[in-house]
Amino acid sequence: LLTALVYLNENWQQGDGGELRLFYPGEKNLKVRMEVEPLWNRLLLFWSDDRSPHEVLSACKDRFAATVWFYDQTNPTIPLTEVGNTSTGSAAAAAAPAPLDDPDSAASGP
């Protein structure tokens, strides 16, 4: 499982916390390899398994990131749902939520 992570924290400063702590390989290894600050527009790529155990340290303010996971093989411990062909658009349209500015949307209140 490969993780692609981009941080979206403008004006992040040392002491704000929220660092990604990476450990040396091994499922139960607690030896710290490095800590990465969540600085604006920083992109990280790392294996999210026993090759690179990790944790996120607590933050003193809101911390934002966008994450994408790329599966390099089937893993029975990670449930995945097959996505069908939606090239016609009908299945996607049926599953899509109503736009926020739609007055008939259930989200607009009673």
Side-chain angles (χ1 to χ4, degrees):
L1 178 65
L2 179 66
T3 297
L5 173 79
V6 63
Y7 288 115
L8 306 171
N9 305 298
E10 292 187 273
N11 303 314
W12 198 265
Q13 298 181 18
Q14 189 172 14
D16 288 340
E19 294 88 353
L20 176 69
R21 178 178 284 167
L22 297 162
F23 298 96
Y24 281 94
E27 187 176 324
K28 297 182 181 185
N29 193 343
L30 296 178
K31 185 176 179 186
V32 176
R33 179 181 238 163
M34 70 175 54
E35 290 181 357
V36 182
E37 292 182 325
L39 301 178
W40 169 255
N41 208 28
R42 176 174 277 173
L43 174 67
L44 300 176
L45 298 171
F46 61 96
W47 295 108
S48 303
D49 55 20
D50 62 350
R51 290 175 279 188
S52 186
H54 61 281
E55 67 181 349
V56 176
L57 303 181
S58 61
C60 298
K61 64 182 188 179
D62 290 338
R63 173 186 170 278
F64 301 98
T67 306
V68 177
W69 294 279
F70 298 95
Y71 293 89
D72 59 331
Q73 60 187 343
T74 303
N75 184 333
T77 65
I78 302 173
L80 298 177
T81 303
E82 291 291 327
V83 177
N85 183 353
T86 59
S87 61
T88 61
S90 60
L100 294 176
D101 60 350
D102 184 349
D104 296 327
S105 171
S108 63

